[in-house]
Amino acid sequence: MSTTNLDTYISNITGKVAIVTGAASGLGKKLSERLAEYNAQVLLVDINPSVSQVSQEINDHVSRNATSWIVCDLCSLQDIQKYLDHAIHIYGHYDIIVNNAGIANEQSLFSQPDSTELDRILALNLRAPMEATRIAVQYFKATGCKGTVLNTASVGGLLPISIMESYGTTKAGLIFFTATCKSLAPLIRVNAVAPYFADTPLVANNRLVQSYPLVQQVGLMLPEKVIKAMVKAIGDESLAGDTLMVAMGAKPEKLMFYDSISLHVTSYIVSGTVNRYATALSSYFSRALDSILGYIRKPVPHREIQR
């Protein structure tokens, strides 16, 4: 990220009101701090009451009352409306929403005794960001104000990982949802980041992630790389409906997957060549997965490896 580009992104963030979910730890905490450093006002949202302490720490760090906080359970639709209303109550409006809160399954779906964990993962990882975006889009359209939504997806939504069926499915859905929001621009820009596994509590404390062969091979990525991509996704006005892949040995790269596949599917449906459609689509998926794996496995600078 060049200094010139970063300055542009910062200027598009300065003075704005941002809401960050999952802000008590991990990427949400680090992004909230970065946004406060860029002179945004930030509402920190988390189910963990420690979010109040995080808010105070950030305010002390930037030497101003840059943040406020609210405790919410995003599995509750009422709580989603509550934190959005709270932002308006405190700041009068909001400009940026970061749907960052999420959880990963602790065991394979097929080892779970009931649907309790599945229900919570679906509610928190997919329904909550979609509901927050739905409400925010209506708000931005009603006020005529420009707005930005950032969804935190994952490389797990691009690579089928057999032991993380629930998590990967929700993140794939979030990437797809983001792509469907492209037409909302320029008034409303909805983007996503799909990082490789970063060294955050969600990842570091999950035994399924730690047992994944790719993680054992290359380790975990430094969170700072993801934060830079998140800042770009928020501040780069050329991005809309886009997902930025983030891996250790490469620059963030815009995912063109759905743009390309839409062209393929549309052309095959129009031409009526169903057999060709099925064969070519299968080939395209195979090439896309190979490309994603190659991107993730690019040579990694030693300083970025966390084991």
Side-chain angles (χ1 to χ4, degrees), residues 105 109 118 121-122 125-126 156-161 164-175:
N105 45 301
L109 173 66
L118 173 62
I121 289 175
L122 289 171
N125 290 10
L126 187 57
L158 299 170
L159 296 174
I161 302 174
M164 301 193 71
E165 307 88 355
S166 308
Y167 176 80
T169 299
T170 58
K171 294 304 184 179
L174 196 54
I175 293 169

Side-chain angles (χ1 to χ4, degrees), residues 257-273 277-278 280-281 284-285:
F257 183 80
Y258 285 114
D259 290 341
S260 299
I261 205 168
S262 294
L263 291 174
H264 280 292
V265 172
T266 301
S267 65
Y268 297 141
I269 290 175
V270 170
S271 66
T273 53
Y277 158 72
L281 192 58
Y284 178 78
F285 268 106

Side-chain angles (χ1 to χ4, degrees), residues 226-249:
V226 187
I227 299 304
K228 289 179 178 178
M230 296 174 94
V231 168
K232 176 178 173 63
I234 294 170
D236 188 342
E237 294 187 337
S238 72
L239 298 175
D242 292 311
T243 294
L244 297 178
M245 290 191 295
V246 191
M248 293 194 292

Side-chain angles (χ1 to χ4, degrees), residues 123-197:
L124 184 57
N125 290 10
L126 187 57
R127 189 183 69 177
M130 293 181 71
E131 174 66 2
T133 304
R134 180 188 70 82
I135 297 171
V137 166
Q138 292 181 356
Y139 169 77
F140 292 135
K141 286 184 174 181
T143 61
C145 296
K146 284 189 172 183
T148 303
V149 178
L150 174 63
N151 296 316
T152 302
S154 168
V155 73
L158 299 170
L159 296 174
I161 302 174
S162 60
I163 57 176
M164 301 193 71
E165 307 88 355
S166 308
Y167 176 80
T169 299
T170 58
K171 294 304 184 179
L174 196 54
I175 293 169
F176 186 93
F177 172 66
T178 299
T180 68
C181 295
K182 191 179 189 71
S183 62
L184 296 171
L187 180 66
I188 304 160
R189 295 186 304 108
V190 181
N191 293 311
V193 293
Y196 171 73
F197 299 109

Side-chain angles (χ1 to χ4, degrees), residues 68-87:
S68 55
W69 58 274
I70 184 171
V71 174
C72 290
D73 180 358
L74 303 190
C75 289
S76 162
L77 296 179
Q78 290 79 8
D79 273 19
I80 295 172
Q81 184 69 64
K82 184 171 102 173
Y83 78 70
L84 293 169
D85 290 343
H86 189 65

Side-chain angles (χ1 to χ4, degrees), residues 37-48:
E37 291 172 349
Y38 292 162
N39 291 311
Q41 295 294 128
V42 190
L43 174 63
L44 280 59
V45 182
D46 207 287
I47 194 172
N48 192 330

Side-chain angles (χ1 to χ4, degrees), residues 25-27 198-206:
S25 64
L27 296 177
D199 188 16
T200 65
L202 175 68
V203 172
N205 297 328
N206 187 287

